[in-house]
Short mmCIF file of all heavy atoms in Angstrom, two decimals:
data_model
loop_
_atom_site.label_atom_id
_atom_site.label_comp_id
_atom_site.label_asym_id
_atom_site.label_seq_id
_atom_site.Cartn_x
_atom_site.Cartn_y
_atom_site.Cartn_z
N ALA A 420 114.93 103.87 110.63
CA ALA A 420 115.24 105.25 111.01
C ALA A 420 116.75 105.49 111.00
O ALA A 420 117.54 104.57 111.19
CB ALA A 420 114.67 105.55 112.39
N SER A 421 117.13 106.75 110.75
CA SER A 421 118.53 107.20 110.86
C SER A 421 119.49 106.21 110.21
O SER A 421 120.28 105.55 110.89
CB SER A 421 118.90 107.39 112.34
OG SER A 421 117.99 108.27 112.96
N PRO A 422 119.46 106.07 108.91
CA PRO A 422 120.23 104.99 108.26
C PRO A 422 121.74 105.12 108.40
O PRO A 422 122.45 104.12 108.23
CB PRO A 422 119.81 105.12 106.79
CG PRO A 422 119.39 106.55 106.64
CD PRO A 422 118.73 106.90 107.94
N SER A 423 122.24 106.29 108.69
CA SER A 423 123.69 106.45 108.83
C SER A 423 124.17 106.20 110.25
O SER A 423 125.37 106.28 110.53
CB SER A 423 124.10 107.87 108.40
OG SER A 423 123.76 108.08 107.04
N THR A 424 123.20 105.89 111.14
CA THR A 424 123.54 105.66 112.54
C THR A 424 123.65 104.16 112.81
O THR A 424 122.89 103.37 112.25
CB THR A 424 122.46 106.27 113.45
OG1 THR A 424 122.35 107.65 113.16
CG2 THR A 424 122.80 106.07 114.92
N GLU A 425 124.58 103.78 113.68
CA GLU A 425 124.72 102.38 114.06
C GLU A 425 123.54 101.97 114.93
O GLU A 425 123.29 102.57 115.97
CB GLU A 425 126.03 102.17 114.81
CG GLU A 425 126.29 100.72 115.19
CD GLU A 425 127.65 100.55 115.84
OE1 GLU A 425 128.67 100.83 115.18
OE2 GLU A 425 127.67 100.15 117.02
N VAL A 426 122.80 100.97 114.49
CA VAL A 426 121.64 100.45 115.22
C VAL A 426 121.83 98.95 115.41
O VAL A 426 121.93 98.22 114.42
CB VAL A 426 120.32 100.73 114.48
CG1 VAL A 426 119.14 100.06 115.20
CG2 VAL A 426 120.09 102.23 114.36
N PRO A 427 121.88 98.47 116.64
CA PRO A 427 122.03 97.02 116.86
C PRO A 427 120.89 96.26 116.19
O PRO A 427 119.73 96.64 116.26
CB PRO A 427 121.95 96.88 118.38
CG PRO A 427 122.39 98.22 118.91
CD PRO A 427 121.88 99.22 117.92
N GLY A 428 121.24 95.19 115.49
CA GLY A 428 120.23 94.33 114.89
C GLY A 428 119.93 94.60 113.44
O GLY A 428 119.06 93.95 112.86
N ARG A 429 120.64 95.52 112.80
CA ARG A 429 120.37 95.79 111.39
C ARG A 429 121.66 96.08 110.63
O ARG A 429 122.68 96.45 111.21
CB ARG A 429 119.45 96.99 111.23
CG ARG A 429 120.19 98.33 111.36
CD ARG A 429 119.39 99.51 110.87
NE ARG A 429 120.19 100.73 110.92
CZ ARG A 429 119.70 101.95 110.89
NH1 ARG A 429 118.38 102.12 110.84
NH2 ARG A 429 120.49 103.02 110.92
N ILE A 430 121.57 95.91 109.32
CA ILE A 430 122.57 96.42 108.39
C ILE A 430 121.83 97.37 107.45
O ILE A 430 120.82 96.99 106.85
CB ILE A 430 123.23 95.30 107.57
CG1 ILE A 430 124.00 94.35 108.50
CG2 ILE A 430 124.16 95.88 106.51
CD1 ILE A 430 124.55 93.13 107.79
N ALA A 431 122.31 98.60 107.36
CA ALA A 431 121.70 99.59 106.48
C ALA A 431 122.70 99.96 105.39
O ALA A 431 123.81 100.39 105.69
CB ALA A 431 121.27 100.82 107.26
N LEU A 432 122.31 99.78 104.13
CA LEU A 432 123.17 100.06 102.99
C LEU A 432 122.49 101.12 102.14
O LEU A 432 121.28 101.04 101.90
CB LEU A 432 123.39 98.79 102.18
CG LEU A 432 124.02 97.65 103.00
CD1 LEU A 432 123.62 96.31 102.44
CD2 LEU A 432 125.53 97.80 102.99
N LEU A 433 123.25 102.10 101.68
CA LEU A 433 122.67 103.26 101.01
C LEU A 433 123.20 103.39 99.59
O LEU A 433 124.39 103.18 99.34
CB LEU A 433 122.98 104.53 101.79
CG LEU A 433 122.52 104.54 103.26
CD1 LEU A 433 122.93 105.84 103.94
CD2 LEU A 433 121.01 104.33 103.33
N TYR A 434 122.32 103.76 98.67
CA TYR A 434 122.66 104.01 97.28
C TYR A 434 122.21 105.43 96.95
O TYR A 434 121.03 105.72 96.89
CB TYR A 434 121.94 103.01 96.36
CG TYR A 434 122.31 101.58 96.60
CD1 TYR A 434 121.71 100.86 97.63
CD2 TYR A 434 123.28 100.94 95.82
CE1 TYR A 434 122.05 99.53 97.85
CE2 TYR A 434 123.62 99.63 96.05
CZ TYR A 434 123.01 98.92 97.06
OH TYR A 434 123.34 97.61 97.29
N GLY A 435 123.17 106.31 96.74
CA GLY A 435 122.80 107.67 96.42
C GLY A 435 123.65 108.68 97.18
O GLY A 435 124.66 108.32 97.78
N PRO A 436 123.23 109.95 97.15
CA PRO A 436 122.00 110.48 96.54
C PRO A 436 121.95 110.21 95.03
O PRO A 436 122.97 110.24 94.35
CB PRO A 436 122.06 111.97 96.84
CG PRO A 436 123.00 112.10 98.00
CD PRO A 436 124.01 111.01 97.80
N LEU A 437 120.73 109.96 94.54
CA LEU A 437 120.54 109.65 93.13
C LEU A 437 120.69 110.91 92.29
O LEU A 437 120.22 111.98 92.66
CB LEU A 437 119.16 109.04 92.91
CG LEU A 437 118.85 107.76 93.69
CD1 LEU A 437 117.42 107.32 93.41
CD2 LEU A 437 119.82 106.64 93.30
N THR A 438 121.34 110.76 91.16
CA THR A 438 121.52 111.91 90.26
C THR A 438 120.36 112.08 89.28
O THR A 438 120.23 113.10 88.62
CB THR A 438 122.83 111.76 89.46
OG1 THR A 438 122.80 110.52 88.73
CG2 THR A 438 124.03 111.75 90.41
N SER A 439 119.50 111.06 89.20
CA SER A 439 118.30 111.13 88.34
C SER A 439 117.24 110.24 88.96
O SER A 439 117.54 109.37 89.79
CB SER A 439 118.63 110.68 86.91
OG SER A 439 119.09 109.34 86.90
N PRO A 440 115.97 110.43 88.59
CA PRO A 440 114.92 109.59 89.18
C PRO A 440 115.14 108.11 88.85
O PRO A 440 115.62 107.75 87.78
CB PRO A 440 113.64 110.11 88.51
CG PRO A 440 113.98 111.49 88.05
CD PRO A 440 115.43 111.44 87.68
N LEU A 441 114.78 107.26 89.82
CA LEU A 441 114.94 105.82 89.67
C LEU A 441 113.56 105.17 89.71
O LEU A 441 112.91 105.15 90.76
CB LEU A 441 115.83 105.28 90.80
CG LEU A 441 116.14 103.78 90.76
CD1 LEU A 441 117.06 103.47 89.59
CD2 LEU A 441 116.78 103.34 92.08
N ARG A 442 113.08 104.68 88.56
CA ARG A 442 111.76 104.04 88.48
C ARG A 442 111.91 102.53 88.64
O ARG A 442 112.59 101.88 87.84
CB ARG A 442 111.09 104.37 87.16
CG ARG A 442 109.73 103.68 86.93
CD ARG A 442 108.63 104.33 87.76
NE ARG A 442 107.33 103.73 87.51
CZ ARG A 442 106.44 104.16 86.59
NH1 ARG A 442 106.78 105.19 85.81
NH2 ARG A 442 105.28 103.59 86.45
N LEU A 443 111.28 101.99 89.68
CA LEU A 443 111.26 100.55 89.90
C LEU A 443 109.90 100.03 89.46
O LEU A 443 108.87 100.55 89.87
CB LEU A 443 111.49 100.22 91.37
CG LEU A 443 112.73 100.84 92.04
CD1 LEU A 443 112.80 100.41 93.50
CD2 LEU A 443 113.99 100.41 91.31
#
Side-chain angles (χ1 to χ4, degrees):
S421 305
S423 299
T424 303
E425 183 176 298
V426 175
R429 80 166 185 198
I430 297 173
L432 302 152
L433 303 178
Y434 298 82
L437 301 177
T438 57
S439 61
L441 182 70
R442 176 75 178 269
L443 307 180

